[in-house]
Every structure is written in structure tokens, then in C-alpha cells.
Amino acid sequence: MIKDWPEHERPREKLLHQGANSLSDAELLAIFLRTGVKGCHVVDLARQLLQQFGSISAIFAADRFSFCQKQGLGLAKFVQLQACLEMSKRYLAEQLPEQTALTSSVATRNYLIAELRAEHNEFFAALLLDSQHQIIGFERLFSGTLDSATIYPRVVVELALKQQAAAVILCHNHPSGVAEPSVADQQITQRLIDALRLIEVKVLDHIIVAQHQSYSFAEHGKL
């Protein structure tokens, strides 16, 4: 029983005294689970789940059926986890700076990573900004296997005009986990820069999300 452990080893007490970043993945998951199952305390259950899924990210990305069929989980915990994930996304969105350029912003990257890292398919999206680089909105535009034939500049241009955007940050994810841009990624970026330039909308960056990693076209001088 965890209540019989020394206080400094119990996940909740450890978090309160040392901070959340001092906890292992299993200890964080144990706090979320709250209780174990018969013959298995909650920390061991958390370790088993991490081994079965492979990582915390994989648990977050699991569909309802895959999640609920595991011992110690279920529909209530699936709903609770989805609510926690959505709150995290909204928190990160609120942390985006409102008055400064966002090309190298850690907050922007964290927000885009939270939005796209768990997706199994590729998504192409745009973060729309006004003339002061305040955020207007975030829109997912295309999905599937993305190449120069499946990204339509006209759609991006129409969105920018509709939202009266003055600048955009383009983004898409690589489910493979490799953040480096392909030749097709570079071609798509240039086509969109050229198309948006015609309506005087500036592309500030194109960020590729690959799980917890990201790649910035602007920081690598590719814009």
C-alpha cells in the first residue's frame, strides 16, 4: 500500500514538496489514476500501462477503445484525460504573447506541439495574426499525406482574406517523429509565400511538429 511508503516517496506528497517536475512518468500517471487494481498498487499499475502503451504520449494519443480496454482504465478516465488535454491546449493558447512577433516564441511552439504532436495523420494548419501580430485564430486546413499536390494555396489565401490576417505562421506535423523538412515541405512553403505575398500577407514561419520536437523554417533561414 502506498500509504505505508515513506512520505517523501509517495507521488502526491513528493509533488507538493518537490514540484511536479521531480516526478517520473509513472508517478505522474499514478496521480492521474488515483487508485490501483486488486493485487497491484497504483504506481505499479502506471508502470505497466507505460510499458504496454510505450510512453505517456502514446497514452494521450490512444483512441477510446484502446484506452478503455486496459486494466485500471475505463470510460470515466478517458473522459477525464481528454478534458485535461483540452485544458492544457487552452492554457498554452492563452500563454501566446499578444504584442510581439511569434517566429521564435517558445509559447507558440509549445502550443503547436500540443495541438499536433499526438496526431497519427498529417495535418496542415495556419496560425493567423493581425498587423500587430496578435492572434486571430488557428485553423486546420488539410489532412492526410501532405505533398505539393494536396496543399491548395487558394484555400490559405481565402482564409487569410476572410480573417483579415496580416501575417501567418504555417505549421504541419510529421507523425514519423522526424522534424526535418522534406523537399516537398520546402516547395509547399515557397508556393504559399508567393501566393500570400500577392495579398500582402507575410509568412513569419513554417513550423514542423514531430512529437515533442519542432523545426522552424525561419530559424534555419529557409523563408
Side-chain angles (χ1 to χ4, degrees):
M1 297 287 289
I2 285 184
K3 66 180 181 180
D4 298 324
W5 292 11
E7 184 171 318
H8 69 278
E9 293 182 6
R10 301 175 202 166
R12 281 184 292 185
E13 285 74 9
K14 185 176 177 182
L15 184 150
L16 290 172
H17 288 96
Q18 300 180 39
N21 62 356
S22 69
L23 272 62
S24 67
D25 288 352
E27 290 169 329
L28 288 169
L29 185 58
I31 290 176
F32 171 77
L33 294 172
R34 295 179 59 193
T35 59
V37 294
K38 187 175 181 180
C40 181
H41 64 64
V42 68
V43 176
D44 276 347
L45 175 60
R47 291 183 181 130
Q48 291 176 17
L49 290 169
L50 285 168
Q51 185 174 21
Q52 291 169 9
F53 280 99
S55 67
I56 273 195
S57 293
I59 294 175
F60 288 169
D63 58 39
R64 184 170 68 177
F65 177 79
S66 300
F67 185 92
C68 293
Q69 70 176 350
K70 300 297 185 183
Q71 185 183 33
L73 302 180
L75 186 59
K77 282 191 169 60
F78 179 79
V79 170
Q80 183 181 347
L81 179 61
Q82 295 307 307
C84 289
L85 288 172
E86 184 58 29
M87 284 192 293
S88 297
K89 290 179 182 179
R90 296 186 188 189
Y91 166 77
L92 290 169
E94 290 176 0
Q95 301 309 301
L96 294 175
E98 295 185 347
Q99 300 294 339
T100 58
L102 302 180
T103 51
S104 61
S105 168
V106 172
T108 303
R109 288 193 185 212
N110 287 342
Y111 172 70
L112 295 177
I113 288 171
E115 280 285 347
L116 297 174
R117 72 183 177 193
E119 298 292 352
H120 298 293
N121 297 318
E122 287 193 49
F123 284 89
F124 184 93
L127 193 62
L128 302 156
L129 311 169
D130 65 15
S131 60
Q132 301 300 313
H133 293 171
Q134 295 180 342
I135 296 162
I136 298 172
F138 175 80
E139 296 281 347
R140 297 188 185 206
L141 298 171
F142 308 102
S143 64
T145 301
L146 303 178
D147 56 38
S148 59
T150 57
I151 304 296
Y152 300 104
R154 173 178 56 82
V155 174
V156 183
V157 168
E158 288 176 351
L159 176 65
L161 288 171
K162 179 181 178 181
Q163 298 291 342
Q164 299 182 16
V168 299
I169 293 177
L170 307 171
C171 60
H172 76 280
N173 63 311
H174 282 178
S176 65
V178 178
E180 290 292 320
S182 66
V183 173
D185 292 336
Q186 297 180 54
Q187 292 173 342
I188 292 165
T189 304
Q190 191 57 54
R191 287 178 62 204
L192 290 169
I193 289 172
D194 293 342
L196 289 163
R197 185 183 293 123
L198 296 174
I199 59 168
E200 299 183 341
V201 172
K202 183 176 179 57
V203 176
L204 297 179
D205 203 350
H206 183 172
I207 294 176
I208 299 173
V209 171
Q211 297 177 11
H212 295 285
Q213 306 174 61
S214 64
Y215 178 98
S216 163
F217 275 64
E219 290 184 3
H220 287 81
K222 293 186 179 294
L223 291 183

